[in-house]
Amino acid sequence: MINLYNTHIENLSIHRVGNKSRNEAIFLSEQPFNLNDEIVPLMKEFFFKPFREKEENYFQFAHEIDLDYNDMFKFATEVFDNPSSVHEISKKITTHLFEQSNHPHIKNGEVYVTYLSNVNIDNNVVDAIGIFKSEIQADFLQFEEKATHLEMILQQGVSLNKLDKGCIIFNYKKEEGYKILTVDSNRYDARYWLEHFLSVDAFEDENFITKKYLKFCQNFAKDVVFPAEDKKEEVMFMNRSVNYFAKNDQFEETNFLNEVLDNPDLIPEFKNYKMDKGEKYSIEDVTSFPIANAAVSDARKSIKNIINLDTHIQIKMDFINPESAEKYVEKGWDEEKQMYYYLVYFNKEQKS
């Protein structure tokens, strides 16, 4: 979890990169930007807003041989070792980005490199490096008073409402390649920012594993539980799974299976499915891990808990109280109508 509320922008360097394939140039500022009290809160909102709104999926610098061969890892380490060098290193970072800007789809734009202090991540206060890029120019109007009328002037500039690309490199978990958050609003070339510029892999911490395991369970429910049982059991399996994760700090696979699978015949099916699909979710060898509460909350929002019927009726289950669906919803078959039915028990209807 991150908290950027008390984060300070200590330094800001602004450069511009063009597209090499279109013979566009690079412009490197000789001095850092002179920050003032008026611009700082605007830039903080511009830089940080996308990270507050985005699900926290962390990355880490990587290299197939050794981390020391990763250019961005080296640049980040130089800055963290000597924060006063951030402007000079920002030129190297921008030049490195320019060298990757050779695909025709890549847009030119401004590059902002910042040194950040008082950043809270996983309850640790650390420094960080922010690298941001604006690409899309927005139209806006300026007005000028003439002798007898107002003149309307159409201009273009960067909208502070939307950051196009950005990453925050935290001075945290250096041995693993630092912990990194990244955003990319204009995914015209996903490899450009993540692979070519940053050269990162997913950071496989408890947040990553919790999300992956729940996603695996979601697909097991769809591919195995639903065909073997019915839609209600598919929803209820995910219902029980999410609640297991929500109420426990540590995941233990044997306990999990015994608790969430009502049908014991599905336990070997689960293990076979994991052998077949586990590598896709990076959980093939995972049987125990600390549970990340934030990841559970994110997963709860994305998992569908609705039974859609072909009679245009929906039944919505409650992930907070799964026992309600167990006790008060029954499925049956009506011989006369030759149709399935759900029987729902209740005391009174609630006002909407």
Side-chain angles (χ1 to χ4, degrees):
M1 290 287 291
I2 62 163
N3 186 333
L4 301 171
Y5 183 77
N6 293 316
T7 296
H8 301 298
I9 298 178
E10 302 291 347
N11 184 286
L12 172 61
S13 300
I14 308 174
H15 310 290
R16 178 177 286 132
V17 289
N19 184 302
K20 290 185 70 176
S21 70
R22 295 196 293 267
N23 295 318
E24 295 172 348
I26 180 174
F27 181 88
L28 301 175
S29 299
E30 286 301 317
Q31 297 88 26
F33 180 80
N34 188 20
L35 291 165
N36 57 62
D37 292 341
E38 184 179 14
I39 199 72
V40 166
L42 296 174
M43 299 312 292
K44 283 182 68 173
E45 185 67 10
F46 179 47
F47 293 152
F48 300 158
K49 182 181 178 182
F51 295 94
R52 293 198 303 268
E53 297 175 344
K54 187 176 183 294
E55 188 176 323
E56 291 181 22
N57 293 314
Y58 289 96
F59 293 87
Q60 62 194 45
F61 290 125
H63 195 277
E64 58 186 9
I65 299 174
D66 190 273
L67 263 177
D68 289 334
Y69 291 98
N70 183 304
D71 289 330
M72 287 300 298
F73 175 79
K74 288 193 297 183
F75 296 151
T77 301
E78 287 182 53
V79 172
F80 288 135
D81 287 346
N82 181 16
S84 64
S85 69
V86 62
H87 180 69
E88 290 306 312
I89 303 300
S90 76
K91 297 179 185 179
K92 296 181 182 180
I93 291 171
T94 304
T95 301
H96 175 63
L97 179 62
F98 178 66
E99 293 300 323
Q100 318 310 315
S101 305
N102 45 27
H103 190 282
H105 290 165
I106 293 172
K107 296 176 173 61
N108 58 29
E110 294 72 36
V111 179
Y112 315 80
V113 181
T114 66
Y115 193 81
L116 309 172
S117 64
N118 208 35
V119 184
N120 193 308
I121 178 171
D122 299 341
N123 295 317
N124 296 284
V125 178
V126 301
D127 290 349
I129 301 164
I131 305 168
F132 313 99
K133 186 185 178 194
S134 55
E135 297 176 331
I136 305 299
Q137 296 278 306
D139 294 334
F140 66 94
L141 296 174
Q142 290 275 37
F143 296 89
E144 184 177 329
E145 289 187 15
K146 299 295 184 179
T148 59
H149 67 282
L150 274 178
E151 184 74 22
M152 184 168 64
I153 305 165
L154 177 64
Q155 295 184 336
Q156 285 193 325
V158 173
S159 170
L160 295 180
N161 293 323
K162 182 185 177 184
L163 179 70
D164 293 307
K165 287 177 170 57
C167 73
I168 300 176
I169 306 163
F170 303 93
N171 191 7
Y172 181 61
K173 304 282 187 181
K174 176 184 176 182
E175 294 72 19
E176 287 96 323
Y178 296 115
K179 219 168 180 182
I180 302 164
L181 277 178
T182 178
V183 294
D184 188 352
S185 301
N186 303 322
R187 297 180 64 85
Y188 49 79
D189 185 354
R191 299 179 65 189
Y192 158 61
W193 187 253
L194 280 179
E195 293 183 31
H196 298 161
F197 172 53
L198 293 173
S199 297
V200 293
D201 286 339
F203 195 100
E204 297 189 14
D205 58 358
E206 59 267 25
N207 191 69
F208 174 86
I209 296 172
T210 301
K211 286 180 181 178
K212 288 291 187 179
Y213 206 102
L214 279 167
K215 184 64 178 176
F216 167 80
C217 289
Q218 194 173 356
N219 283 323
F220 171 76
K222 180 178 67 176
D223 295 342
V224 179
V225 178
F226 174 55
E229 303 281 345
D230 55 25
K231 186 65 179 180
K232 177 194 170 187
E233 283 306 312
E234 177 193 344
V235 173
M236 290 308 303
F237 168 76
M238 282 312 302
N239 202 322
R240 291 189 292 266
S241 297
V242 169
N243 278 277
Y244 174 92
F245 276 80
K247 71 182 183 182
N248 289 285
D249 295 325
Q250 184 75 19
F251 177 87
E252 298 291 345
E253 190 170 275
T254 301
N255 293 340
F256 169 74
L257 294 177
N258 290 333
E259 187 168 324
V260 303
L261 283 173
D262 276 355
N263 183 352
D265 293 339
L266 288 177
I267 293 179
E269 293 288 339
F270 183 94
K271 293 179 178 178
N272 289 335
Y273 189 81
K274 187 181 176 187
M275 288 178 62
D276 186 37
K277 305 285 188 180
E279 186 176 357
K280 175 183 175 182
Y281 301 91
S282 304
I283 63 159
E284 64 271 25
D285 299 319
V286 173
T287 58
S288 176
F289 56 88
I291 293 172
N293 291 330
V296 178
S297 298
D298 290 336
R300 196 191 292 273
K301 297 172 189 173
S302 65
I303 295 172
K304 294 180 179 179
N305 59 340
I306 295 174
I307 300 174
N308 289 304
L309 306 178
D310 58 4
T311 50
H312 307 293
I313 293 173
Q314 290 184 333
I315 300 175
K316 184 176 181 180
M317 304 291 194
D318 189 346
F319 273 166
I320 306 300
N321 297 301
E323 65 277 1
S324 295
E326 300 274 15
K327 291 166 60 177
Y328 304 128
V329 179
E330 295 179 6
K331 183 178 179 181
W333 171 259
D334 188 298
E335 285 290 346
E336 183 179 342
K337 292 188 176 181
Q338 291 292 293
M339 295 175 71
Y340 291 102
Y341 64 83
Y342 279 104
L343 181 62
V344 181
Y345 295 94
F346 64 96
N347 292 312
K348 61 181 179 180
E349 296 175 346
Q350 294 183 344
K351 293 181 180 179
S352 57

